[in-house]
Amino acid sequence: MSRTTGSQSSLREANRTLVIETVKEFGGLTQVELIDATGLSAATVSTIVKELTSSGVVDTQPTSRSGRRAQMVTLSPQTGLVAGVHVARRQIRVLLGDFSYTTLASTSLPVPFDQPADTGLDRIALLLAEMIDGVGRSTSDLLAVGIACPAPVDATGMVSVRGLMPGWEDEQIGELVAKRLGCAVHVDNDANLGALAEVTLGASREVADSLWLTVSDGVGAGLVLGRRVHRGFAGAAGEIGHVQVDPTGSICRCGNRGCLETVVGAEALLAPLRPLHPHLTLRDLVDRAVHGDAGCRRVIADAAATIGRVVGSVCQVVNPPMVVVGGPLAESGEVFLEPLRAALAQHTIRHLLGPVEVVPSKLGSTAEVTGALVLAVQRTDVTHRSET
Amino acid sequence: MTDTPMHAGTTALHDLGPAPVADDARTPVLSVLGVSKRFGAVEALVECSLDLYAGEVVALVGDNAAGKSTLAKVIAGVLQPDAGYLEIDGQPVSLPGPGAARQHGIAAVFQDLGVCDNLDVTANVFLGQERTHRGLLDQGGMERVSREVLSMIGANVPSLRTPVGRLSGGQRQGVAIARTMLGEPRVVVLDEPMASLGVVQTAEVLTHLDRLRSLGMAVLVIGHNLNDLRAVADRIEVLRHGRNNGSFDGPTSRNDEIIGAITGAWPQ
């Protein structure tokens, strides 16, 4: 952040903004952590927090850190309501919360594979309206919504790659939902938002660079560099599901050949098990593996090894200290993580600081929808609102 | 994927084995074979057949008066077929009444749910099968079991002491489904569970269906909204004028094909 060299008041304004942005970035942190993160003096932080508390921008709650009393600073829950939506291939997940990241309600609606956009968007609006009603609030309290899509999204909020989200690609998803709900709507890729959630509130909060890896119906990754999600030119950064692993493989839904997803996507994983288990789902696969089914464990371990080759290449280029793994397959725990670590060790150069740390997601199946909510919070100007 | 933790659900109450997942033996748990049912001049079912396998959700769709509820009642032992018969695990059975169906592991929840609004959640779950301990109602034990069965199907109720009349439609449906779990059923039949529910409550019921499926039960669900049914169904069976008129794969079929079969536009 560049500091303006100007009047006392513009300096104070800049410091104030810095404090607000830092609280947004970390979701919530103690006053001591805020001093560390902003580099401001204890006195300045204390004054600004007091000022922001009295103007209703932030809220402080007593907490403890290493046994000592501390003040937890969050954005004020009074600011209004905010929501995250994750449009996945087989479900729509909605999280309703406030600006202090307190969850007020959450719902998950199973949907069919090819749900058309009009039905889906109506469902999103109805779900949100009912959930807001359910917590005794009004839709006019809803200030912003974030939407996570299972396809790359460009800076204008449009799906930027064809074939990954059939029926939704020509829709102004953000505008259509904004029209129905009457609030700001921000759209991004679900893997990017999973990464945003983990770096803001989850497992990678303490490190500057990290990779979010999610293995579900497809495979995706989100790249965090210097605590910022790296989206890329068309929002397609981290689309590791479309890295080629088999030059003679099947044609992928993206149009290329032999993408990682054609080898480890849900359909590819379940196909060899179909003769034994005709109706198996990804969830059943994980359940069976956890309970010791040798065939299912093998399928997951082989997938982890293949994914590990691709993730290894990414780690070789970016050299992050941590890979955070989410999605249903990661819920099989070490069945997936152990072969993934082994593959990463084989496919990255060994350096003296030790191997990349592979950890399970802290937010689990709610990572993407939480990231969508974080996006909505971070894109909302809370200062302006409290002054009007 | 569901909201709930993955391995909640295996409880001491139901010895479902270590893995709460599908049993893939290829003998249907329940088969309906050439069943016909006539009410006076009305042919409600005409040589209707249906197979239900463990660990799958089958949606039964059709126009009004297509015979969906009649078929559900035949399976639940409420109505007896005029012709044809039922098989359980490949063995012919006769179900002279709902009690016989329950003994064969068939549980049904009909549209009226059969819940008592003035009684609390626990009392409704154990309605008609209250447990006693030394001659007194075993309130603590019943509450514990109620909590277990509700969490098995992923149902959330504010409190077990809440009168059911104060619950939402989705929660009431959850209580009605939880009650059937006490009989440790293998087949669960649900007649229009999403009728007149809002979208949040529909989401709850769809989650219950998904849970029953992963507990290894064969689930037959009757409904109208193809979008909702296709979200959870492995297979869609169409009835038209009491006859089978098509069977579709849940994940890969299209709404227009199924609608064609419902209205008779398909097959040509």
Side-chain angles (χ1 to χ4, degrees), chain B residues 61-63 226 238-240 245-246 248 254-268:
Chain B
V61 299
D63 215 335
L226 287 179
V238 179
L239 284 187
R240 179 170 144 74
N245 200 39
F248 299 86
R254 298 195 321 267
N255 283 2
D256 52 354
E257 311 177 300
I258 302 169
I259 291 166
I262 292 171
T263 58
W266 181 95
Q268 296 288 325

Side-chain angles (χ1 to χ4, degrees), chain A residues 38 43 83 98 141 146 185-186 196 199 224 246 267 291 359 361 387:
Chain A
T38 56
D98 62 30
D141 295 342
V185 178
H186 311 281
L196 179 64
V199 73
V224 177
D246 181 2
E267 272 321 299
H291 288 100
V359 298
S361 160
E387 281 163 1

Side-chain angles (χ1 to χ4, degrees), chain A residues 367-384:
Chain A
E368 292 88 353
V369 73
T370 306
L373 190 141
V374 170
L375 178 76
V377 167
Q378 293 192 346
R379 296 264 181 98
T380 305
D381 181 358
V382 288
T383 2
H384 178 68

Side-chain angles (χ1 to χ4, degrees), chain A residues 320-336:
Chain A
M322 183 186 280
V323 174
V324 184
V325 190
L329 234 52
E331 290 175 35
S332 64
E334 289 304 308
V335 179
F336 181 80

Side-chain angles (χ1 to χ4, degrees), chain B residues 6-253:
Chain B
M6 294 177 50
H7 307 297
T10 34
T11 63
L13 173 76
H14 284 240
D15 188 15
L16 291 160
V21 290
D23 167 6
D24 295 313
R26 286 287 86 189
T27 308
V29 188
L30 179 97
S31 293
V32 175
L33 294 148
V35 162
S36 298
K37 180 74 190 173
R38 173 187 290 274
F39 300 103
V42 180
E43 286 188 309
L45 292 174
V46 185
E47 292 174 19
C48 182
S49 295
L50 177 73
D51 287 334
L52 297 179
Y53 294 90
E56 73 169 350
V57 175
V58 174
L60 186 62
V61 299
D63 215 335
N64 289 339
K68 305 183 299 281
S69 292
T70 307
L71 183 57
K73 285 179 178 149
V74 168
I75 294 172
V78 177
L79 293 173
Q80 281 66 49
D82 298 333
Y85 62 102
L86 273 62
E87 280 184 0
I88 288 178
D89 295 326
Q91 302 298 316
V93 290
S94 78
L95 303 174
R102 267 199 300 277
Q103 272 174 2
H104 279 102
I106 300 170
V109 179
F110 290 102
Q111 281 178 49
D112 63 10
L113 300 183
V115 293
C116 297
D117 284 351
N118 59 328
L119 297 179
D120 71 12
V121 173
T122 307
N124 268 289
V125 169
F126 278 89
L127 195 66
Q129 42 191 336
E130 289 82 1
R131 287 191 186 174
T132 54
H133 180 67
R134 292 181 185 165
L136 296 170
L137 277 181
D138 179 14
Q139 191 65 29
M142 290 196 292
E143 288 192 0
R144 184 177 52 76
V145 173
S146 299
R147 202 169 290 124
E148 279 173 16
V149 288
L150 286 165
S151 90
M152 267 170 64
I153 60 162
N156 288 313
V157 293
S159 151
L160 293 173
R161 304 280 175 97
T162 315
V164 166
R166 294 229 302 268
L167 298 181
S168 73
Q171 290 166 336
R172 290 157 60 88
Q173 192 78 42
V175 171
I177 297 173
R179 177 198 290 162
T180 68
M181 294 296 104
L182 292 186
E184 306 192 16
R186 298 166 62 210
V187 177
V188 181
V189 179
L190 298 143
D191 193 1
E192 300 270 6
M194 276 98 70
S196 71
L197 293 186
V199 60
V200 171
Q201 296 169 22
T202 299
E204 273 175 44
V205 174
L206 292 176
T207 306
H208 299 337
L209 294 179
D210 216 33
R211 271 323 204 50
L212 294 177
R213 178 188 178 284
S214 56
L215 289 166
M217 289 170 201
V219 182
L220 181 69
V221 53
I222 295 175
H224 280 111
N225 187 325
L226 287 179
N227 219 45
D228 290 335
L229 293 172
R230 286 187 48 243
V232 291
D234 298 294
R235 187 150 54 86
I236 317 246
E237 295 287 343
V238 179
L239 284 187
R240 179 170 144 74
H241 294 314
R243 295 169 173 84
N244 293 99
N245 200 39
S247 174
F248 299 86
D249 181 55
T252 56
S253 57

